[in-house]
Amino acid sequence: MARDTSLFSGRPSELIGRQVAGYRIEREIGRGGMAVVYRARDLRLERTVALKLLAPELARNDTFRRRFTHESRAAAAIDHPHIVPVFEAGETDGVLYIAMRYVEGSDLRHLLDRRGPLVPAVALRIAAQIASALDAAHEHGLVHRDVKPGNILVARGTDSDHPEHSYLTDFGLTKKSLSLTGFTTVGQFVGTLDYVAPEQISGKPVDGRCDVYGFACVVYEALAGHPPFRRDDDMALLWAHQYDDPPPLTASRPDLAPDVDAVFARGLAKSPDARYDTCLAFVAALRAATTGARFGTHAPTEVDLKVVETSAEGPKRPPPWARPVFRGG
Ligand SMILES: Nc1ncnc2c1ncn2[C@@H]1O[C@H](COP(=O)(O)OP(=O)(O)O)[C@@H](O)[C@H]1O
Ligand SMILES: [Mg+2]
């Protein structure tokens, strides 16, 4: 049993060079509240991977275990250019692990901490990529639940037209929703509450629209330099998500067109029904508000077309979160 914990809570250097489930650990990349991420070598396929070792107490939580297995399978099944591909998820010596593509770059948390707010064009590019990833997940019946800058990885893009390539990671790995619904022990670290949707706080069932909310918080922060709600303690922050109006973005970014405030008001609406149906619809509205035009000088993109789709009258296709989770086959 001593090995269980040494895998996770040992000094990082103790694991370097060691082999865990067919991976040789090379160096620590980062750690969050519930996991440590290493760069590692897949010894079978001779490739570099990111190996995430989850805190041992999570393996002891049956609810988490079940969801971990279910959601890592579901995430691995989604083949999307802006979702970090999961290669393998499993358990070794009582520690849950997940092996995924190693993304060379920076997460958005570090990027914002280092460089401050993004210029609108960059924010919109990254946002459109992550929005398409989230919408694809929702179409697969998967809700992320923990959209935050730390779960957005930004790598170098392919060319000057695509200067960055962003990835969404960590589906269903949040401990936040578990703790908010009382599954974890009191006092455990639950991560940031800056991006949590009102319905997650009140323990109501969530669907893709809770990610629309979290995503709108992230995009707000990317432009303002701070999340929509800043409070002195967690209780006040949870209250604000549920009952307070977010300050208009233009208070922090007077250079942006006033129309963006209405877009964030809708993205951050307390009631899921009042929000945009999809993340791409939110980004499309934001792009239209910042550029003041429906289409820019380029040919219409997927995001542009969403503007037309969302503003058109008439019968709508059911939004992804309302479509069946399980399909035949
Ligand atoms: N696939 C990956 N490739 C490269 N770096 C990663 C990958 N996944 C996670 N990381 C890095 O490891 C850090 C820690 O991840 P994590 O434990 O999920 O904590 P958090 O999401 O709270 O930041 C991330 O912030 C990111 O910088
Ligand atoms: Mg993460």
Side-chain angles (χ1 to χ4, degrees):
M1 282 307 278
R3 276 178 76 204
D4 288 9
T5 37
S6 71
L7 263 188
F8 182 79
S9 57
R11 286 212 318 276
S13 56
E14 286 169 9
L15 275 181
I16 307 303
R18 267 182 65 179
Q19 203 173 311
V20 174
Y23 301 92
R24 193 179 54 238
I25 295 191
E26 294 180 342
R27 67 174 173 82
E28 182 177 325
I29 308 173
R31 43 176 78 210
M34 49 187 262
V36 187
V37 181
Y38 296 94
R39 201 182 76 173
R41 189 83 180 152
D42 179 340
L43 298 171
R44 286 154 297 199
L45 294 172
E46 285 297 324
R47 63 176 170 186
T48 299
V49 301
L51 184 70
K52 180 162 198 162
L53 302 184
L54 300 188
E57 74 260 24
L58 294 172
R60 292 194 286 270
N61 180 323
D62 278 344
T63 310
F64 185 90
R65 259 179 108 90
R66 266 198 307 276
R67 204 166 76 197
F68 173 79
T69 311
H70 175 263
E71 306 228 351
S72 31
R73 274 199 198 125
I78 309 178
D79 184 12
H80 189 278
H82 297 290
I83 294 178
V84 176
V86 171
F87 299 143
E88 193 198 355
E91 185 180 346
T92 182
D93 288 335
V95 172
L96 298 169
Y97 67 90
I98 185 157
M100 57 191 146
R101 175 180 296 168
Y102 171 69
V103 177
E104 177 107 55
S106 174
D107 63 70
L108 185 60
R109 176 73 278 141
H110 283 115
L111 214 62
L112 294 176
D113 289 346
R114 229 176 33 232
R115 305 221 311 225
L118 304 178
V119 297
V122 176
L124 279 166
R125 275 202 305 269
I126 295 176
Q129 296 177 357
I130 299 306
S132 73
L134 283 165
D135 288 351
H138 299 157
E139 295 199 19
H140 281 76
L142 206 63
V143 182
H144 190 286
R145 295 186 175 86
D146 196 19
V147 181
K148 60 174 186 176
N151 284 338
I152 294 172
L153 306 177
V154 185
R156 191 192 305 263
T158 45
D159 51 65
S160 56
D161 280 346
H162 308 92
E164 58 286 298
H165 190 102
S166 318
Y167 293 89
L168 180 67
T169 186
D170 279 354
F171 280 89
L173 288 187
T174 176
K175 203 160 88 175
K176 188 159 49 194
S177 49
L178 290 174
S179 71
L180 288 171
T181 50
F183 283 110
T184 53
T185 340
V186 177
Q188 282 182 337
F189 179 84
V190 294
T192 171
L193 295 171
D194 284 335
Y195 317 94
V196 65
E199 65 272 24
Q200 280 175 291
I201 297 168
S202 57
K204 295 202 189 85
V206 299
D207 57 35
R209 295 170 299 176
C210 94
D211 289 341
V212 173
Y213 183 93
F215 178 62
C217 289
V218 170
V219 180
Y220 185 110
E221 177 172 354
L223 288 166
H226 57 79
F229 299 110
R230 290 179 291 179
R231 298 291 185 273
D232 289 337
D233 60 75
D234 285 352
M235 285 312 289
L237 188 52
L238 292 173
W239 178 272
H241 280 298
Q242 287 185 288
Y243 305 111
D244 295 348
D245 288 333
L249 177 64
T250 50
S252 312
R253 286 295 294 261
D255 56 314
L256 296 178
D259 285 357
V260 301
D261 292 332
V263 175
F264 278 98
R266 187 164 165 203
L268 296 170
K270 307 301 179 196
S271 159
D273 288 334
R275 289 176 209 145
Y276 294 98
D277 284 340
T278 66
C279 294
L280 274 173
F282 164 72
V283 174
L286 186 60
R287 183 184 277 178
T290 49
T291 59
R294 281 191 155 198
F295 298 144
T297 48
H298 53 77
T301 63
E302 194 182 355
V303 172
D304 293 322
L305 294 171
K306 279 276 172 193
V307 178
V308 177
E309 192 184 296
T310 52
S311 56
E313 297 294 337
K316 277 203 318 190
R317 234 164 65 131
W321 48 262
R323 289 186 211 140
V325 172
F326 298 105
R327 279 168 249 213

